[in-house]
């Protein structure tokens, strides 16, 4: 048991990194951002402090998000970020923890090795991988060991993970690199094209959270966007509506619906029937977008429900996987 008491679970996400310690729960939740001096490469800030610098730094400082589409895009920066987070979360004196880390189900062996090397060089004693959809399902409280089909759709920052789980394993799955970041980019492009305003990632996320919706529920909202006029370069404010944001996100939402449909097509009939009866569970930071459950019902004729604490499901499930491993 000593092995597992010195273990931590890490959700190394595109948007944020969370660390779970048994007995303590989530002990760290920080944006996956690092601020670096671009002339000498020195790390100046990590996490929330670095996130505040995005779009507001002088030319000599660059704020980097080293995780892209759920995998490492910058090895050295990821290592520095992980080292800082592991040290910050070293409650109970765990300085060389055994790490359970969540990874997308579609990750390659090369990408896995990059994660493992980054974690070990950042201070981990060893690395065990947990597939994100399994972690999300465990964190959402699904009975993953039952002989019945459970479907989880985890919409994170970089990837959407869709899986049907039964008897403790993934029966059918689909990983697409369309999620929260892609939705933000779609909003940025739409606003630039339709309103002639350049906005940043932070403003796009704000409008997505405030009035974003995936299905027309009859409710109309407005949001005052602030950005820079494309033609003049001067500050500009423009009002956008919830229907416009829905239009901006519609193509990406269609791709997520297609991923769910393809997964169901590859699911054995008995388990697909279980999903029809039990419904689909949504997790991840973008799971709570208004109208998403209604869109799934309209497109697939299956009920959908948002998990409790959807943004924490992967981290909680990764942490709980430590106890599952201890029982085996």
């Amino acid at each position: 048991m000593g092995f597992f008491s010195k273990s931590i679970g890490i959700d190394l996400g595109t948007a944020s990194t969370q660390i779970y310690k048994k007995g303590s729960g989530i002990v760290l939740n920080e944006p996956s951002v690092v601020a670096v001096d671009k002339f000498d490469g020195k790390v100046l800030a990590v996490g929330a402090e670095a996130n505040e610098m995005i779009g507001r730094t002088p030319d000599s400082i660059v704020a980097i998000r080293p995780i892209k589409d759920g995998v490492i895009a910058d090895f050295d920066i990821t290592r520095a970020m992980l080292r800082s987070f592991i040290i910050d979360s070293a409650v109970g004196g765990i300085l060389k923890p055994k790490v359970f880390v969540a990874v997308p189900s579609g990750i390659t062996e090369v990408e896995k090795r990059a994660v493992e090397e980054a974690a070990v060089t950042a201070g981990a004693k060893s690395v065990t991988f947990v597939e994100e959809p399994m972690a999300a399902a465990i964190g959402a409280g699904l009975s993953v060991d039952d002989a019945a089909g459970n479907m989880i759709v985890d919409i994170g920052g970089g990837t959407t993970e869709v899986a049907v789980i039964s008897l403790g394993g993934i029966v059918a799955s689909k990983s697409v690199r369309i999620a929260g970041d892609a939705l933000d980019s779609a909003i940025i492009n739409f606003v630039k094209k339709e309103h002639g305003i350049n906005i940043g990632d932070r403003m796009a996320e704000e409008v997505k959270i405030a009035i974003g919706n995936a299905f027309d529920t009859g409710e109309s909202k407005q949001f005052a966007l602030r950005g820079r006029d494309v033609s003049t370069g001067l500050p500009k404010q423009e009002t956008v509506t919830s229907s416009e944001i829905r239009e901006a996100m519609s193509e990406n939402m269609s791709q997520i619906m297609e991923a769910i449909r393809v997964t169901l097509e590859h699911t054995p009939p008995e388990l697909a029937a279980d999903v029809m009866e039990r419904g689909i569970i949504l997790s991840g930071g973008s799971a709570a977008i208004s109208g998403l459950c209604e869109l799934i019902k309209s497109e697939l004729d299956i009920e959908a429900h948002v998990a409790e604490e959807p943004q924490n499901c992967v981290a909680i499930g990764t942490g709980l996987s430590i106890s599952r491993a201890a029982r085996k």
Side-chain angles (χ1 to χ4, degrees):
M1 270 308 200
F3 175 101
F4 296 100
S5 66
K6 296 180 180 179
S7 300
I8 60 173
I10 301 180
D11 174 15
L12 185 61
T14 300
S16 64
T17 295
Q18 295 178 306
I19 295 182
Y20 182 104
K21 183 177 183 294
K22 186 177 180 182
S24 302
I26 294 175
V27 294
L28 181 139
N29 185 358
E30 295 273 354
S32 299
V33 182
V34 180
V36 177
D37 186 315
K38 70 178 184 181
F39 294 117
D40 62 15
K42 182 180 179 182
V43 174
L44 303 175
V46 176
E49 185 181 353
N51 193 52
E52 289 299 316
M53 298 181 180
I54 292 180
R56 297 172 176 169
T57 58
D59 290 342
S60 61
I61 301 173
V62 58
I64 299 172
R65 295 176 64 180
I67 308 297
K68 183 175 176 58
D69 297 334
V71 297
I72 292 175
D74 189 313
F75 180 85
D76 291 333
I77 299 300
T78 299
R79 179 178 57 188
M81 181 181 74
L82 268 177
R83 181 183 294 278
S84 175
F85 289 162
I86 289 173
I87 291 172
D88 287 348
S89 65
V91 292
I94 301 178
L95 297 178
K96 291 284 286 184
K98 281 82 173 179
V99 169
F100 284 63
V101 59
V103 293
S105 59
I107 193 172
T108 66
E109 288 302 316
V110 171
E111 291 166 340
K112 272 188 179 181
R113 282 198 297 274
V115 173
E116 183 175 18
E117 288 174 17
V120 169
T121 57
K125 188 170 185 179
S126 63
V127 178
T128 300
F129 293 110
V130 182
E131 289 187 294
E132 279 182 12
M134 178 63 78
I138 294 169
L142 297 183
S143 303
V144 297
D145 293 317
D146 288 356
N150 291 284
M151 174 170 267
I152 186 81
V153 177
D154 183 69
I155 309 174
T159 64
T160 292
E161 304 287 326
V162 184
V164 173
I165 295 168
S166 179
L167 289 173
I170 295 175
V171 178
S173 66
K174 179 75 174 175
S175 177
V176 292
R177 297 188 176 185
I178 299 290
D181 284 355
L183 295 174
D184 292 343
S185 295
I187 292 170
I188 290 170
N189 294 334
F190 180 89
V191 169
K192 182 178 181 179
K193 179 181 177 182
E194 299 297 327
H195 292 277
I197 304 178
N198 279 320
I199 63 171
D201 294 338
R202 190 188 299 268
M203 180 59 66
E205 186 172 17
E206 281 185 29
V207 67
K208 179 182 70 179
I209 292 170
I211 66 170
N213 63 103
F215 188 77
D216 186 3
T217 58
E219 183 181 16
S220 181
K221 295 181 180 179
Q222 295 184 334
F223 187 91
L225 279 176
R226 298 176 304 280
R228 192 176 68 247
D229 190 292
V230 172
S231 57
T232 68
L234 297 175
K236 182 179 179 181
Q237 180 170 304
E238 190 84 20
T239 299
V240 294
T241 65
S242 51
S243 61
E244 287 183 295
I245 301 305
R246 182 170 64 253
E247 181 184 346
M249 300 191 300
S250 61
E251 183 177 343
N252 287 333
M253 285 297 177
S254 294
Q255 291 176 284
I256 292 173
M257 293 304 108
E258 181 61 20
I260 298 173
R261 186 178 289 108
V262 167
T263 304
L264 285 168
E265 288 174 356
H266 289 85
T267 300
E270 293 82 0
L271 298 182
D274 291 336
V275 173
M276 287 286 294
E277 180 182 344
R278 296 181 172 205
I280 296 170
I281 301 300
L282 307 178
S283 65
S286 294
I289 290 177
S290 176
L292 187 52
C293 292
E294 289 84 352
L295 178 63
I296 292 173
K297 176 65 175 175
S298 173
E299 293 278 329
L300 305 171
D301 197 27
I302 302 175
E303 296 289 343
H305 313 280
V306 179
E308 290 186 30
E309 300 184 67
Q311 72 278 11
N312 297 332
C313 284
V314 172
I316 293 170
T318 304
L320 295 178
S321 294
I322 297 169
S323 298
R324 284 170 58 84
R327 293 195 300 266
K328 291 182 179 179

